Amino acid sequence: MRGLAAVPSYVVMQPTTLCNLDCAYCYLPFRAADRRMPVPVAEAVAASVNPWAVAGRFSVVWHGGEPLAAGREHLAALIAPFGPEVEHHVQTNATLIDDAWCAFFVEHGVRVSVSVDGPRERNGDRVTRGGGPAYDRILRGVAALRRHGLPFSALAVVGRPEPGQATELYDYFLGLGCDVLGVNIEETEGVNLRDNSHDARLVTAFWAELVAAWRREPRIHLREVEWSLRYAAAVLDGTADDLLPRRLDPIPTVGHDGSVTVLSPELAGFTDVRYGDFSSGNVLTTPLAEILAHADRTPWVGEFLAGVEACRSSCPYFGFCGGGHAANRYFELGRFDGTQTAHCRNSKIHLLEGVLEHARDHQSPAA
């Protein structure tokens, strides 16, 4: 795995910077402003994406702000340029979902992922612009999805891992009715400056407990755990080198104004005296395919790729994570060519250690 792939597996699109919530751990810098993506930006992206989708599976992920804050009419206009082969996904806080939005999802074939952090008491950081709790509004949105028989994924942020929390979370999401669950340990990035360092034993134990809860009743696809088990099986089979792609997925994020930021959506909208605005180009002036073909010439991207090589030569977990994420390095270390971050430890190293700890504790006794 060296360098960037010329064709991504998906594109992240920002239909608006606005979010109707004001979550304490959010990284987005302009979530109080309604800066909407013009339709020509979507048309320009679709010109590159549509041929990719004909050649193989391809997704567009609508990610804000709160994408639904753009409104149904405008979001429909942004979706319209994309061909029928393109899969559409939306990451939403669900507070705006009602019967009309559910009809929209059906009409446009949009797959829904809901951000919610577990039971009511775990959602203290998810608040409205007035500081009030958002939980009841989230549940009303989820209820609408279920009423219309729409499958949905869920994404939960864990602020401080503690004993019993993983089991509580998993049981909660079994009851919520999602079919896929992603679990993120809170990250220090963007405008969120809260510390994300935790006791290694607690984090490892959290992941081990989550594996145990999932194995007891594996009705939900558990994103991080299933990838870890797949990696562990590949190591045992001697096929681990085949898991990572030959080149890094550039994961282009197209901002509301058409600017393209590769590798980490969390960098979009930020500027730095050394790196500028992190953009590799703008689809209104340069085709997306052309931008990605030369994205590795963006100065900070070259620095990040040097950091990936440093991880490859120094970290025994490289085959599992592939060198980490650019935004975590930048916001934690202040540059891109560093190596281990708190995010690496929380969501890669201790994740894999937790899976292996569970396996050791539950292995069958020797005959």
Side-chain angles (χ1 to χ4, degrees):
M1 190 183 70
R2 298 180 188 275
L4 300 184
V7 177
S9 59
Y10 63 99
V11 170
V12 179
M13 301 277 283
Q14 187 181 56
T16 178
T17 58
L18 179 67
C19 187
N20 59 323
L21 298 188
D22 193 21
C23 302
Y25 52 63
C26 183
Y27 64 84
L28 292 166
F30 303 118
R31 61 185 185 272
D34 188 7
R35 302 177 182 179
R36 296 194 182 188
M37 176 179 285
V39 171
V41 171
E43 292 172 340
V45 174
S48 290
V49 163
N50 288 340
W52 293 337
V54 170
R57 184 177 180 182
F58 197 92
S59 299
V60 169
V61 179
W62 300 95
H63 194 300
E66 167 51 48
L68 305 192
R72 285 186 295 277
E73 182 177 346
H74 189 62
L75 191 55
L78 295 175
I79 289 175
F82 293 93
E85 298 84 5
V86 177
E87 294 181 6
H88 292 277
H89 300 251
V90 63
Q91 184 66 48
T92 174
N93 61 40
T95 60
L96 300 175
I97 295 177
D98 56 14
D99 293 339
W101 270 113
C102 288
F104 178 95
F105 298 146
V106 172
E107 178 183 357
H108 296 282
V110 178
R111 306 182 185 194
V112 180
S113 179
V114 172
S115 297
V116 58
D117 299 336
R120 182 184 301 275
E121 58 273 15
R122 298 289 184 185
N123 283 268
D125 287 332
R126 302 189 61 75
V127 295
T128 66
R129 294 237 145 253
Y135 184 71
D136 287 339
R137 294 172 62 186
I138 295 170
L139 285 196
R140 283 198 295 270
V142 170
L145 292 172
R146 296 185 66 170
R147 189 165 60 247
H148 288 266
L150 293 176
F152 64 96
S153 302
L155 181 64
V157 174
V158 173
R160 301 192 62 81
E162 56 190 21
Q165 185 177 5
T167 301
E168 174 193 79
L169 277 178
Y170 188 76
D171 289 345
Y172 172 84
F173 285 104
L174 279 175
L176 192 69
C178 62
D179 52 8
V180 180
L181 173 62
V183 178
N184 290 348
I185 305 294
E186 182 181 337
E187 302 170 42
T188 302
E189 59 187 3
V191 297
N192 178 26
L193 304 179
R194 304 198 308 192
D195 181 45
N196 67 333
S197 57
H198 304 290
D199 185 302
R201 294 169 298 177
L202 287 178
V203 180
T204 301
F206 170 85
W207 290 117
E209 182 185 322
L210 188 61
V211 178
W214 174 73
R215 288 194 65 194
R216 185 184 69 245
E217 196 169 356
R219 288 194 285 114
I220 296 176
H221 287 293
L222 197 50
R223 187 182 65 185
E224 289 77 16
V225 168
E226 291 187 28
W227 164 246
S228 303
L229 292 172
R230 184 182 172 198
Y231 174 75
V235 169
L236 293 175
D237 292 341
T239 59
D241 287 346
D242 297 331
L243 284 181
L244 293 178
R246 297 301 94 189
R247 291 182 177 273
L248 282 166
D249 193 325
I251 316 174
T253 294
V254 181
H256 69 95
D257 59 354
S259 60
V260 179
T261 306
V262 298
L263 293 170
S264 286
E266 299 84 1
L267 292 171
F270 288 91
T271 58
D272 183 276
V273 293
R274 293 161 295 171
Y275 308 112
D277 64 0
F278 302 106
S279 171
S280 293
N282 191 297
V283 297
L284 293 177
T285 57
T286 309
L288 178 60
E290 185 177 333
I291 291 173
L292 297 184
H294 304 293
D296 56 0
R297 299 178 187 174
T298 307
W300 74 263
V301 175
E303 186 178 302
F304 170 74
L305 293 175
V308 171
E309 294 307 308
C311 285
R312 187 195 307 275
S313 63
S314 65
C315 182
Y317 296 88
F318 179 82
F320 177 60
C321 79
H325 300 293
N328 297 112
R329 293 187 188 189
Y330 173 72
F331 289 115
E332 287 194 38
L333 307 178
R335 55 186 303 113
F336 292 98
D337 57 0
T339 53
Q340 192 176 116
T341 63
H343 172 71
C344 291
R345 292 187 288 274
N346 291 335
S347 298
K348 303 296 182 182
I349 295 173
H350 300 324
L351 163 61
L352 187 56
E353 290 175 343
V355 170
L356 296 176
E357 179 179 291
H358 172 83
R360 284 192 299 268
D361 291 344
H362 294 81
Q363 62 184 345
S364 299

